[in-house]
mmCIF file of all heavy atoms in Angstrom:
data_model
loop_
_atom_site.group_PDB
_atom_site.id
_atom_site.type_symbol
_atom_site.label_atom_id
_atom_site.label_comp_id
_atom_site.label_asym_id
_atom_site.label_seq_id
_atom_site.Cartn_x
_atom_site.Cartn_y
_atom_site.Cartn_z
ATOM 1 N N GLY A 106 -165.695 -117.084 23.949
ATOM 2 C CA GLY A 106 -164.283 -117.338 24.408
ATOM 3 C C GLY A 106 -163.366 -116.220 24.198
ATOM 4 O O GLY A 106 -162.251 -116.310 24.676
ATOM 5 N N GLU A 107 -163.703 -115.120 23.422
ATOM 6 C CA GLU A 107 -162.842 -114.064 23.132
ATOM 7 C C GLU A 107 -163.203 -112.727 23.893
ATOM 8 O O GLU A 107 -164.530 -112.468 23.896
ATOM 9 C CB GLU A 107 -162.765 -113.883 21.666
ATOM 10 C CG GLU A 107 -162.141 -115.016 20.922
ATOM 11 C CD GLU A 107 -161.839 -114.564 19.444
ATOM 12 O OE1 GLU A 107 -162.344 -113.539 18.858
ATOM 13 O OE2 GLU A 107 -161.186 -115.468 18.786
ATOM 14 N N LEU A 108 -162.164 -111.941 24.291
ATOM 15 C CA LEU A 108 -162.539 -110.662 24.827
ATOM 16 C C LEU A 108 -163.113 -109.700 23.808
ATOM 17 O O LEU A 108 -162.475 -109.622 22.657
ATOM 18 C CB LEU A 108 -161.263 -109.999 25.417
ATOM 19 C CG LEU A 108 -160.709 -110.679 26.682
ATOM 20 C CD1 LEU A 108 -159.367 -110.006 27.041
ATOM 21 C CD2 LEU A 108 -161.627 -110.409 27.866
ATOM 22 N N ILE A 109 -164.201 -109.218 23.974
ATOM 23 C CA ILE A 109 -164.812 -108.263 23.012
ATOM 24 C C ILE A 109 -164.898 -106.765 23.618
ATOM 25 O O ILE A 109 -165.172 -105.819 22.964
ATOM 26 C CB ILE A 109 -166.158 -108.638 22.488
ATOM 27 C CG1 ILE A 109 -167.155 -108.741 23.593
ATOM 28 C CG2 ILE A 109 -166.030 -109.996 21.826
ATOM 29 C CD1 ILE A 109 -168.606 -108.890 23.219
ATOM 30 N N SER A 110 -164.664 -106.609 24.920
ATOM 31 C CA SER A 110 -164.662 -105.319 25.520
ATOM 32 C C SER A 110 -163.792 -105.409 26.802
ATOM 33 O O SER A 110 -163.893 -106.385 27.496
ATOM 34 C CB SER A 110 -166.063 -104.851 25.876
ATOM 35 O OG SER A 110 -166.142 -103.691 26.416
ATOM 36 N N ILE A 111 -163.099 -104.306 27.012
ATOM 37 C CA ILE A 111 -162.305 -104.170 28.343
ATOM 38 C C ILE A 111 -162.483 -102.680 28.757
ATOM 39 O O ILE A 111 -162.331 -101.732 27.999
ATOM 40 C CB ILE A 111 -160.748 -104.265 27.948
ATOM 41 C CG1 ILE A 111 -160.418 -105.563 27.425
ATOM 42 C CG2 ILE A 111 -160.010 -104.112 29.297
ATOM 43 C CD1 ILE A 111 -159.000 -105.847 26.857
ATOM 44 N N MET A 112 -162.889 -102.599 30.118
ATOM 45 C CA MET A 112 -163.305 -101.274 30.662
ATOM 46 C C MET A 112 -162.449 -101.002 31.828
ATOM 47 O O MET A 112 -162.441 -102.037 32.692
ATOM 48 C CB MET A 112 -164.763 -101.227 30.879
ATOM 49 C CG MET A 112 -165.515 -101.322 29.593
ATOM 50 S SD MET A 112 -167.283 -101.630 29.879
ATOM 51 C CE MET A 112 -167.342 -103.443 29.875
ATOM 52 N N LEU A 113 -162.021 -99.976 32.181
ATOM 53 C CA LEU A 113 -161.327 -99.655 33.397
ATOM 54 C C LEU A 113 -161.514 -98.170 33.846
ATOM 55 O O LEU A 113 -161.455 -97.228 33.028
ATOM 56 C CB LEU A 113 -159.764 -99.904 33.265
ATOM 57 C CG LEU A 113 -158.906 -99.637 34.503
ATOM 58 C CD1 LEU A 113 -159.224 -100.802 35.587
ATOM 59 C CD2 LEU A 113 -157.451 -99.796 34.121
ATOM 60 N N SER A 114 -161.852 -97.984 35.199
ATOM 61 C CA SER A 114 -161.976 -96.712 35.766
ATOM 62 C C SER A 114 -161.941 -96.852 37.267
ATOM 63 O O SER A 114 -161.820 -98.005 37.716
ATOM 64 C CB SER A 114 -163.288 -96.046 35.388
ATOM 65 O OG SER A 114 -164.387 -96.703 35.955
ATOM 66 N N GLY A 115 -161.850 -95.740 37.989
ATOM 67 C CA GLY A 115 -161.789 -95.851 39.333
ATOM 68 C C GLY A 115 -160.500 -96.455 39.996
ATOM 69 O O GLY A 115 -160.529 -97.073 41.039
ATOM 70 N N VAL A 116 -159.373 -96.171 39.282
ATOM 71 C CA VAL A 116 -158.123 -96.650 39.815
ATOM 72 C C VAL A 116 -157.613 -95.714 40.781
ATOM 73 O O VAL A 116 -157.582 -94.565 40.591
ATOM 74 C CB VAL A 116 -157.080 -96.954 38.571
ATOM 75 C CG1 VAL A 116 -155.719 -97.306 38.997
ATOM 76 C CG2 VAL A 116 -157.687 -97.824 37.513
ATOM 77 N N ALA A 117 -156.983 -96.293 41.901
ATOM 78 C CA ALA A 117 -156.434 -95.404 42.932
ATOM 79 C C ALA A 117 -155.064 -94.836 42.238
ATOM 80 O O ALA A 117 -154.505 -95.532 41.547
ATOM 81 C CB ALA A 117 -155.990 -96.211 44.139
ATOM 82 N N LYS A 118 -154.842 -93.615 42.507
ATOM 83 C CA LYS A 118 -153.637 -92.865 41.923
ATOM 84 C C LYS A 118 -152.378 -93.646 42.145
ATOM 85 O O LYS A 118 -151.461 -93.787 41.286
ATOM 86 C CB LYS A 118 -153.548 -91.544 42.438
ATOM 87 C CG LYS A 118 -154.644 -90.552 41.713
ATOM 88 C CD LYS A 118 -154.253 -89.140 41.914
ATOM 89 C CE LYS A 118 -155.352 -88.375 41.199
ATOM 90 N NZ LYS A 118 -154.934 -87.086 40.695
ATOM 91 N N GLU A 119 -152.198 -94.242 43.369
ATOM 92 C CA GLU A 119 -151.002 -95.016 43.603
ATOM 93 C C GLU A 119 -150.979 -96.241 42.771
ATOM 94 O O GLU A 119 -149.809 -96.886 42.746
ATOM 95 C CB GLU A 119 -150.774 -95.321 45.108
ATOM 96 C CG GLU A 119 -151.899 -95.933 45.786
ATOM 97 C CD GLU A 119 -152.883 -94.914 46.387
ATOM 98 O OE1 GLU A 119 -152.966 -93.728 46.039
ATOM 99 O OE2 GLU A 119 -153.780 -95.356 47.193
ATOM 100 N N ASP A 120 -152.028 -96.813 42.227
ATOM 101 C CA ASP A 120 -151.934 -98.013 41.401
ATOM 102 C C ASP A 120 -151.964 -97.697 39.861
ATOM 103 O O ASP A 120 -151.941 -98.630 39.088
ATOM 104 C CB ASP A 120 -153.217 -98.883 41.687
ATOM 105 C CG ASP A 120 -153.238 -99.390 43.077
ATOM 106 O OD1 ASP A 120 -152.143 -99.510 43.695
ATOM 107 O OD2 ASP A 120 -154.271 -99.641 43.609
ATOM 108 N N ALA A 121 -151.939 -96.387 39.576
ATOM 109 C CA ALA A 121 -152.111 -95.956 38.152
ATOM 110 C C ALA A 121 -151.016 -96.647 37.223
ATOM 111 O O ALA A 121 -151.410 -97.113 36.116
ATOM 112 C CB ALA A 121 -152.011 -94.452 38.057
ATOM 113 N N ALA A 122 -149.799 -96.719 37.599
ATOM 114 C CA ALA A 122 -148.654 -97.238 36.746
ATOM 115 C C ALA A 122 -148.858 -98.674 36.364
ATOM 116 O O ALA A 122 -148.482 -99.135 35.399
ATOM 117 C CB ALA A 122 -147.361 -97.012 37.321
ATOM 118 N N ARG A 123 -149.591 -99.407 37.339
ATOM 119 C CA ARG A 123 -149.898 -100.815 37.062
ATOM 120 C C ARG A 123 -150.949 -101.056 35.912
ATOM 121 O O ARG A 123 -150.823 -102.158 35.288
ATOM 122 C CB ARG A 123 -150.482 -101.438 38.300
ATOM 123 C CG ARG A 123 -150.895 -102.878 38.208
ATOM 124 C CD ARG A 123 -151.341 -103.508 39.535
ATOM 125 N NE ARG A 123 -151.668 -104.848 39.314
ATOM 126 C CZ ARG A 123 -152.480 -105.620 40.094
ATOM 127 N NH1 ARG A 123 -152.896 -105.022 41.140
ATOM 128 N NH2 ARG A 123 -152.713 -106.759 39.879
ATOM 129 N N PHE A 124 -151.695 -100.230 35.641
ATOM 130 C CA PHE A 124 -152.723 -100.308 34.695
ATOM 131 C C PHE A 124 -152.404 -99.427 33.417
ATOM 132 O O PHE A 124 -153.029 -98.400 33.092
ATOM 133 C CB PHE A 124 -154.127 -99.863 35.188
ATOM 134 C CG PHE A 124 -154.412 -100.848 36.235
ATOM 135 C CD1 PHE A 124 -154.285 -100.367 37.646
ATOM 136 C CD2 PHE A 124 -154.931 -102.042 36.110
ATOM 137 C CE1 PHE A 124 -154.741 -101.305 38.654
ATOM 138 C CE2 PHE A 124 -155.306 -102.959 37.110
ATOM 139 C CZ PHE A 124 -155.155 -102.498 38.379
ATOM 140 N N LYS A 125 -151.406 -99.936 32.671
ATOM 141 C CA LYS A 125 -151.090 -99.204 31.358
ATOM 142 C C LYS A 125 -151.663 -99.936 30.176
ATOM 143 O O LYS A 125 -151.780 -101.185 30.159
ATOM 144 C CB LYS A 125 -149.474 -99.187 31.232
ATOM 145 C CG LYS A 125 -148.730 -98.231 32.218
ATOM 146 C CD LYS A 125 -147.196 -98.299 31.934
ATOM 147 C CE LYS A 125 -146.558 -97.232 32.766
ATOM 148 N NZ LYS A 125 -145.220 -97.267 32.511
ATOM 149 N N THR A 126 -151.927 -99.117 29.269
ATOM 150 C CA THR A 126 -152.513 -99.768 27.950
ATOM 151 C C THR A 126 -151.303 -100.327 27.280
ATOM 152 O O THR A 126 -150.140 -100.145 27.755
ATOM 153 C CB THR A 126 -153.093 -98.584 27.079
ATOM 154 O OG1 THR A 126 -152.080 -97.792 26.681
ATOM 155 C CG2 THR A 126 -154.182 -97.921 27.806
ATOM 156 N N LEU A 127 -151.520 -101.104 26.312
ATOM 157 C CA LEU A 127 -150.471 -101.827 25.533
ATOM 158 C C LEU A 127 -149.401 -100.747 24.913
ATOM 159 O O LEU A 127 -148.375 -101.174 24.454
ATOM 160 C CB LEU A 127 -150.932 -102.874 24.636
ATOM 161 C CG LEU A 127 -151.669 -104.042 25.435
ATOM 162 C CD1 LEU A 127 -152.238 -105.042 24.322
ATOM 163 C CD2 LEU A 127 -150.769 -104.707 26.424
ATOM 164 N N ARG A 128 -149.988 -99.571 24.624
ATOM 165 C CA ARG A 128 -149.127 -98.598 23.946
ATOM 166 C C ARG A 128 -148.284 -97.836 25.146
ATOM 167 O O ARG A 128 -147.585 -96.927 24.897
ATOM 168 C CB ARG A 128 -150.013 -97.635 23.391
ATOM 169 C CG ARG A 128 -150.492 -98.211 21.935
ATOM 170 C CD ARG A 128 -150.763 -97.171 20.916
ATOM 171 N NE ARG A 128 -149.595 -96.464 20.407
ATOM 172 C CZ ARG A 128 -148.810 -96.993 19.579
ATOM 173 N NH1 ARG A 128 -148.930 -98.140 19.100
ATOM 174 N NH2 ARG A 128 -147.774 -96.283 19.109
ATOM 175 N N GLY A 129 -148.590 -98.083 26.367
ATOM 176 C CA GLY A 129 -147.850 -97.461 27.515
ATOM 177 C C GLY A 129 -148.519 -96.279 28.239
ATOM 178 O O GLY A 129 -147.902 -95.600 29.019
ATOM 179 N N LEU A 130 -149.894 -96.095 27.881
ATOM 180 C CA LEU A 130 -150.607 -94.956 28.557
ATOM 181 C C LEU A 130 -151.115 -95.463 29.852
ATOM 182 O O LEU A 130 -151.767 -96.382 29.975
ATOM 183 C CB LEU A 130 -151.761 -94.568 27.685
ATOM 184 C CG LEU A 130 -152.582 -93.461 28.168
ATOM 185 C CD1 LEU A 130 -151.843 -92.090 27.967
ATOM 186 C CD2 LEU A 130 -153.853 -93.403 27.573
ATOM 187 N N ALA A 131 -150.746 -94.718 31.051
ATOM 188 C CA ALA A 131 -151.092 -95.101 32.323
ATOM 189 C C ALA A 131 -152.424 -94.265 32.664
ATOM 190 O O ALA A 131 -152.481 -93.155 32.213
ATOM 191 C CB ALA A 131 -149.958 -94.900 33.359
ATOM 192 N N MET A 132 -153.070 -94.765 33.611
ATOM 193 C CA MET A 132 -154.263 -94.048 34.133
ATOM 194 C C MET A 132 -153.777 -92.772 34.790
ATOM 195 O O MET A 132 -152.695 -92.767 35.428
ATOM 196 C CB MET A 132 -154.992 -94.920 35.195
ATOM 197 C CG MET A 132 -156.432 -94.426 35.521
ATOM 198 S SD MET A 132 -157.504 -94.452 34.216
ATOM 199 C CE MET A 132 -157.831 -96.132 33.940
ATOM 200 N N TYR A 133 -154.378 -91.685 34.619
ATOM 201 C CA TYR A 133 -154.033 -90.217 35.143
ATOM 202 C C TYR A 133 -152.839 -89.684 34.253
ATOM 203 O O TYR A 133 -152.430 -88.630 34.629
ATOM 204 C CB TYR A 133 -153.605 -90.322 36.633
ATOM 205 C CG TYR A 133 -154.787 -90.957 37.439
ATOM 206 C CD1 TYR A 133 -154.608 -92.083 37.995
ATOM 207 C CD2 TYR A 133 -155.924 -90.195 37.520
ATOM 208 C CE1 TYR A 133 -155.761 -92.645 38.751
ATOM 209 C CE2 TYR A 133 -156.957 -90.591 38.257
ATOM 210 C CZ TYR A 133 -156.866 -91.868 38.899
ATOM 211 O OH TYR A 133 -157.897 -92.476 39.612
ATOM 212 N N ASP A 134 -152.408 -90.269 33.195
ATOM 213 C CA ASP A 134 -151.568 -89.573 32.279
ATOM 214 C C ASP A 134 -152.276 -88.418 31.557
ATOM 215 O O ASP A 134 -153.638 -88.334 31.610
ATOM 216 C CB ASP A 134 -151.121 -90.506 31.161
ATOM 217 C CG ASP A 134 -149.758 -91.306 31.546
ATOM 218 O OD1 ASP A 134 -149.249 -91.114 32.661
ATOM 219 O OD2 ASP A 134 -149.446 -92.194 30.654
ATOM 220 N N SER A 135 -151.538 -87.442 31.108
ATOM 221 C CA SER A 135 -152.242 -86.261 30.569
ATOM 222 C C SER A 135 -152.859 -86.513 29.262
ATOM 223 O O SER A 135 -152.476 -87.466 28.490
ATOM 224 C CB SER A 135 -151.046 -85.182 30.389
ATOM 225 O OG SER A 135 -150.186 -85.482 29.485
ATOM 226 N N GLY A 136 -153.579 -85.556 28.725
ATOM 227 C CA GLY A 136 -154.220 -85.581 27.427
ATOM 228 C C GLY A 136 -153.159 -85.474 26.360
ATOM 229 O O GLY A 136 -153.194 -86.056 25.249
ATOM 230 N N GLU A 137 -151.977 -84.749 26.676
ATOM 231 C CA GLU A 137 -150.859 -84.669 25.740
ATOM 232 C C GLU A 137 -150.246 -86.033 25.561
ATOM 233 O O GLU A 137 -149.699 -86.306 24.522
ATOM 234 C CB GLU A 137 -149.887 -83.580 26.175
ATOM 235 C CG GLU A 137 -150.406 -82.134 26.162
ATOM 236 C CD GLU A 137 -151.363 -81.803 27.373
ATOM 237 O OE1 GLU A 137 -151.269 -82.464 28.320
ATOM 238 O OE2 GLU A 137 -152.080 -80.928 27.086
ATOM 239 N N GLN A 138 -150.075 -86.754 26.604
ATOM 240 C CA GLN A 138 -149.405 -88.115 26.584
ATOM 241 C C GLN A 138 -150.356 -89.040 25.807
ATOM 242 O O GLN A 138 -149.863 -89.778 24.986
ATOM 243 C CB GLN A 138 -149.253 -88.813 27.979
ATOM 244 C CG GLN A 138 -148.601 -89.979 27.883
ATOM 245 C CD GLN A 138 -147.136 -89.898 27.433
ATOM 246 O OE1 GLN A 138 -146.492 -88.888 27.220
ATOM 247 N NE2 GLN A 138 -146.584 -91.212 27.445
ATOM 248 N N LEU A 139 -151.690 -88.913 25.943
ATOM 249 C CA LEU A 139 -152.642 -89.615 25.100
ATOM 250 C C LEU A 139 -152.427 -89.365 23.686
ATOM 251 O O LEU A 139 -152.273 -90.280 22.777
ATOM 252 C CB LEU A 139 -154.065 -89.363 25.540
ATOM 253 C CG LEU A 139 -155.109 -89.863 24.701
ATOM 254 C CD1 LEU A 139 -155.184 -91.424 24.757
ATOM 255 C CD2 LEU A 139 -156.521 -89.340 25.109
ATOM 256 N N LYS A 140 -152.292 -88.105 23.356
ATOM 257 C CA LYS A 140 -152.035 -87.694 21.795
ATOM 258 C C LYS A 140 -150.766 -88.181 21.374
ATOM 259 O O LYS A 140 -150.599 -88.630 20.272
ATOM 260 C CB LYS A 140 -152.168 -86.169 21.658
ATOM 261 C CG LYS A 140 -153.491 -85.640 21.774
ATOM 262 C CD LYS A 140 -153.538 -84.106 21.455
ATOM 263 C CE LYS A 140 -154.995 -83.651 21.655
ATOM 264 N NZ LYS A 140 -154.965 -82.137 21.545
#
Side-chain angles (χ1 to χ4, degrees):
E107 291 185 356
L108 288 174
I109 61 166
S110 183
I111 302 169
M112 300 163 273
L113 183 66
S114 67
V116 176
K118 287 197 179 205
E119 52 273 11
D120 294 338
R123 178 177 178 199
F124 298 100
K125 288 186 178 183
T126 68
L127 297 180
R128 288 204 67 78
L130 183 74
M132 196 63 72
Y133 303 110
D134 274 353
S135 68
E137 291 78 21
Q138 183 69 3
L139 174 63
K140 284 182 186 177

